[in-house]
Amino acid sequence: MSLIVLLYGGFAAVLILSDQASYYGNDVYIGPIDYDSVLAKAEDSGYDIGGDAKSNLIEPGSVEALEERFKDVYMVHRVELYYNKYTYLEFCKYESPETVITLCNPSHSDVSDFPDDSWMLEMLGRSLGLNETGSQEFLERLKLEGAKQYVHISTNESVDFPVIYAYLNQSSTNTVVNSGMWNDEEFYRDGKKIGYIAYIIPEFSVSTSHNFNRYTLDVSSSGSVSADILMHRASAGKKIPEEEYRAVFKEMFEKLGLPAEKVDELEFEYNPSVW
C-alpha cells in the first residue's frame, strides 16, 4: 500500500511541478499596418518568430475588388478551376517556392479520362500566362504522369492571379464568399461550380521571455493583434502584477513599431491551470 501511495504521490508531484498558469488576451484592432516593416523589426529585435510569416503563397497581384474586401492585406493559398463536378486543375505552392499544378479526378482510370485538350490548354495558358506551345508542353507533362487520381507537376512559372480572377468573375453567374476562419470564394455558372479560391490573411507570432514567463503577440496583416502569456513551470495559481505584464507588452509593441497605447485596450483572462 505504501508503495502505491508513494507512486501516486510522486506522479502528483510531477503534475504540480509541470502545471502552468497563463493569460489569454482579446484581439485589438490597431489600424492599418506595414506588415513587412513590422515583421522586419520583429526579426531585428531578436524575438522568436513563428506562424505564417514566410509561407510560400501565390502572389495576388492587383485586384481592386479584393483589395477593397481585404484592405490590401491578403495572399492566395490555392486556386481550383473545374472542368466538371469531380475534375479540376489546382494551382498551389504548398511548402515549395515552386508552383504545383495538380489535375484532380478521383474517378478517372486512364489518360482517356482527362479533360478535353482544348479546355486544358486554355486553363493552363490563362493561369500561367503561357502561349499555345507552352501550354501544350505542360499538358504533355501532365499526361506523361499516367493514370492517377491526382497528377502533380511543378514549375517555376508564376500564377497570373489577376487573369484567373477576372476569368472566374466574368464567367460566373453566382459567387459564394465565405469570410472568417476560412476566407474563400466559390464561383458557379448556371448552378455548376467552375472555380474556387482560398485566401489567407498573413500573420505571424512573436515571443520573448521575461522572468521565465513566455510573452507572445499574434500580429495579423489585417491590423489586429492579440497577446498571451504562458507562465513558468510550477506556476499554477500564481499571478503576474498587471503593471508588469503590460510593461512587457508595451516594450514589444514599441520594438515592432506598433502604437504602445493600444496595450491598454488588451483585456486578459487568467487561467490558474490547476490540472
Side-chain angles (χ1 to χ4, degrees):
M1 177 65 72
S2 59
L3 178 60
I4 294 176
V5 171
L6 182 62
L7 288 174
Y8 275 97
F11 180 65
V14 170
L15 289 178
I16 292 171
L17 290 175
S18 61
D19 199 11
Q20 298 168 274
S22 56
Y23 291 80
Y24 298 97
N26 58 319
D27 286 331
V28 171
Y29 180 68
I30 62 173
I33 64 173
D34 186 335
Y35 181 79
D36 292 335
S37 174
V38 174
L39 177 57
K41 289 176 180 177
E43 293 171 337
D44 292 341
S45 71
Y47 290 141
D48 295 330
I49 299 173
D52 297 324
K54 296 183 177 179
S55 295
N56 291 304
L57 299 169
I58 296 172
E59 290 287 345
S62 179
V63 179
E64 185 176 353
L66 295 178
E67 290 171 357
E68 291 179 358
R69 183 193 307 173
F70 293 108
K71 307 304 179 187
D72 295 320
V73 283
Y74 73 99
M75 296 288 281
V76 177
H77 177 248
R78 74 180 187 277
V79 175
E80 298 171 358
L81 302 175
Y82 281 75
Y83 176 70
N84 57 34
K85 184 176 181 180
Y86 302 106
T87 306
Y88 59 92
L89 271 176
E90 179 192 81
F91 299 85
C92 189
K93 287 197 172 183
Y94 295 104
E95 299 301 321
S96 169
E98 294 185 321
T99 300
V100 179
I101 305 169
T102 305
L103 177 61
C104 306
N105 186 350
S107 64
H108 82 246
S109 58
D110 56 48
V111 174
S112 64
D113 290 327
F114 270 53
D116 292 340
D117 283 3
S118 59
W119 183 86
M120 290 286 290
L121 292 171
E122 180 185 358
M123 295 302 106
L124 290 167
R126 287 182 184 276
S127 303
L128 301 174
L130 303 172
N131 58 25
E132 186 175 350
T133 300
S135 299
Q136 186 67 49
E137 290 176 356
F138 275 92
L139 176 57
E140 294 305 320
R141 285 180 59 190
L142 285 166
K143 287 185 176 182
L144 284 172
E145 289 297 309
K148 302 175 184 176
Q149 291 181 329
Y150 301 96
V151 180
H152 307 276
I153 61 173
S154 298
T155 177
N156 288 321
E157 297 284 351
S158 298
V159 173
D160 193 338
F161 181 74
V163 168
I164 291 179
Y165 188 82
Y167 160 73
L168 290 174
N169 198 45
Q170 294 166 7
S171 303
S172 60
T173 55
N174 181 48
T175 60
V176 177
V177 177
N178 302 303
S179 59
M181 182 177 294
W182 308 107
N183 290 285
D184 55 18
E185 190 167 6
E186 298 171 288
F187 299 82
Y188 295 86
R189 181 168 57 222
D190 300 328
K192 296 180 179 179
K193 193 172 186 178
I194 63 170
Y196 170 86
I197 301 173
Y199 305 101
I200 285 182
I201 306 298
E203 60 184 13
F204 70 94
S205 63
V206 54
S207 301
T208 189
S209 294
H210 177 78
N211 290 341
F212 305 104
N213 300 316
R214 192 72 169 170
Y215 290 74
T216 300
L217 291 175
D218 291 313
V219 182
S220 170
S221 59
S222 64
S224 66
V225 179
S226 63
D228 62 71
I229 308 167
L230 180 63
M231 293 185 66
H232 57 79
R233 291 183 182 278
S235 61
K238 298 180 180 180
K239 292 186 176 182
I240 307 171
E242 182 177 353
E243 60 271 18
E244 179 180 330
Y245 65 68
R246 289 195 185 276
V248 173
F249 282 127
K250 283 185 177 181
E251 181 180 356
M252 294 179 73
F253 267 60
E254 289 169 353
K255 287 188 175 181
L256 297 180
L258 302 175
E261 63 272 14
K262 286 291 185 177
V263 173
D264 295 330
E265 298 179 20
L266 288 168
E267 298 178 359
F268 292 91
E269 179 181 346
Y270 172 68
N271 179 9
S273 187
V274 183
W275 302 347

